[in-house]
């Protein structure tokens, strides 16, 4: 009959389950994999596979007593680190989601909403198009592999059982202002062009009040907005590279914080 001592069980729990909590927390919260499009069972299986793949390369883990309060503190710390890493990736995707919503409101497509299958909420169509585009670019440029590399490195820079600064979360909170600024920078040409169109309609209404500008202003603004978005797509790759590089560098800085 196989008998295991408390030390052996604690070593097994520390070497496998503690890293699993960090990996699973990040996969549950990060975009693409952490959305409703991927079932929780698939995410759990993927977490197990990643944990088994990187477990031989991880540094020595602390011995965990299953009925000790310290074990629950370490588990909570690993979950917080995983959520932190996943939330940093969410910032990159929300830049394009907010940018699409701003453009949709300016061109009159704010009422045209559809259910986002990833998050289960109603979003403007332009915002959903931008989200699909950034998802395809994220996967095509192998950014997900960079994320998994940073996740593996985090076990050396933020070891299990080590200290974790609360200032890391303050850095994420300060980064929220970057999301809005980046979204405005992304759609600034389109918003400026639509503003000029609206000002032109205002001048026409003032110059010729007998003309029913509102009857042609809405469809014309809608068509011009679609043309402006189509023209702006030519520069979307360069803008994505800038934002993705900054987001991934911030992710690596957060993983290296100590």
């Amino acid at each position: 009959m196989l008998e295991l001592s408390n030390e052996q069980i604690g070593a097994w729990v520390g070497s496998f389950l503690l890293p699993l909590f960090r990996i699973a927390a990040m996969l549950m919260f990060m975009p693409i994999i952490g959305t409703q499009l991927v079932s929780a069972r698939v995410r759990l299986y993927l977490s197990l596979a990643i944990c088994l793949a990187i477990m031989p390369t991880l540094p020595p883990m602390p011995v965990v007593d299953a009925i000790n309060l310290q074990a629950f503190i370490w588990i909570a710390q690993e979950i917080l680190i995983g959520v932190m890493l996943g939330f940093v990736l969410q910032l990159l995707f929300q830049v394009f989601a907010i940018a699409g919503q701003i453009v949709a409101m300016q061109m009159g497509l704010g009422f045209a909403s559809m259910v986002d299958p990833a998050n289960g909420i109603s979003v403007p169509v332009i915002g959903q198009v931008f989200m699909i585009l950034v998802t395809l670019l994220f996967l095509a440029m192998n950014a997900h592999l960079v994320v998994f590399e940073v996740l593996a490195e985090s076990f050396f820079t933020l070891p299990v059982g080590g200290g974790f600064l609360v200032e890391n979360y303050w850095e994420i909170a300060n980064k929220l202002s970057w999301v809005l600024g980046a979204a405005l920078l992304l759609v600034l040409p389109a918003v400026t062009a639509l503003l000029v169109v609206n000002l032109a309609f205002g001048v026409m209404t003032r110059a010729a009040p007998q003309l029913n500008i509102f009857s042609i202003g809405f469809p014309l603004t809608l068509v011009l907005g679609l043309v402006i978005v189509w023209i702006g797509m030519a520069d979307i790759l360069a803008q994505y590279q800038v934002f993705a590089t900054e987001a991934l560098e911030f992710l690596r800085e957060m993983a290296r914080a100590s």
Side-chain angles (χ1 to χ4, degrees):
M1 182 177 180
L2 180 62
E3 294 184 359
L4 298 175
S5 62
N6 292 335
E7 291 77 11
Q8 292 174 329
I9 296 177
W12 180 79
V13 170
S15 62
F16 182 77
L17 285 185
L18 288 179
L20 179 62
F21 278 109
R22 181 183 301 190
I23 297 172
M26 193 194 75
L27 293 184
M28 292 292 178
F29 204 78
M30 70 177 292
I32 304 176
I33 299 177
T35 60
Q36 296 181 3
L37 297 176
V38 182
S39 64
R41 182 176 298 179
V42 174
R43 281 176 275 177
L44 180 58
Y45 290 157
L46 184 58
S47 302
L48 291 172
I50 296 176
C51 186
L52 290 174
I54 68 175
M55 188 172 62
T57 64
L58 297 181
M61 297 293 170
V63 178
V64 178
D65 188 358
I67 59 176
N68 192 356
L69 179 61
Q70 185 65 37
F72 293 97
I73 296 176
W74 284 344
I75 290 173
Q77 176 179 304
E78 294 304 303
I79 294 176
L80 287 176
I81 294 175
V83 170
M84 176 195 70
L85 298 178
F87 185 76
V88 171
L89 295 175
Q90 288 284 357
L91 296 179
L92 172 62
F93 282 69
Q94 292 306 313
V95 168
F96 291 85
I98 295 175
Q101 293 176 6
I102 294 175
V103 173
M105 295 299 294
Q106 289 294 321
M107 63 187 295
L109 273 180
F111 68 91
S113 302
M114 63 178 295
V115 177
D116 184 6
N119 300 314
I121 59 176
S122 296
V123 296
V125 177
I126 302 297
Q128 184 65 18
V129 171
F130 279 20
M131 286 293 292
I132 295 173
L133 180 61
V134 69
T135 300
L136 295 177
L137 290 175
F138 188 83
L139 296 176
M141 301 181 70
N142 292 329
H144 58 291
L145 301 181
V146 178
V147 173
F148 293 147
E149 180 184 357
V150 174
L151 176 62
E153 292 178 356
S154 68
F155 289 99
F156 294 90
T157 57
L158 293 174
V160 176
F164 183 68
L165 296 179
V166 181
E167 285 79 1
N168 294 344
Y169 290 97
W170 286 109
E171 292 181 12
I172 294 181
N174 294 331
K175 200 68 175 179
L176 294 177
S177 60
W178 170 81
V179 175
L180 182 58
L184 292 175
L185 182 63
L186 181 64
V187 299
L188 186 60
V191 171
T192 304
L194 291 173
L195 179 61
V196 172
V197 172
N198 292 327
L199 289 176
F201 284 132
V203 172
M204 292 174 60
T205 304
R206 185 67 175 176
Q210 65 275 14
L211 296 178
N212 190 4
I213 301 299
F214 293 100
S215 62
I216 63 173
F218 178 74
L220 189 57
T221 304
L222 182 60
V223 173
L224 290 177
L226 293 175
V227 173
I228 292 170
V229 171
W230 174 62
I231 296 175
M233 287 295 178
D235 195 42
I236 195 70
L237 179 59
Q239 294 175 335
Y240 169 79
Q241 289 178 341
V242 174
F243 297 145
T245 300
E246 186 170 352
L248 293 177
E249 288 179 353
F250 179 65
L251 177 67
R252 192 176 294 273
E253 290 176 2
M254 295 299 297
R256 287 178 178 175
S258 59

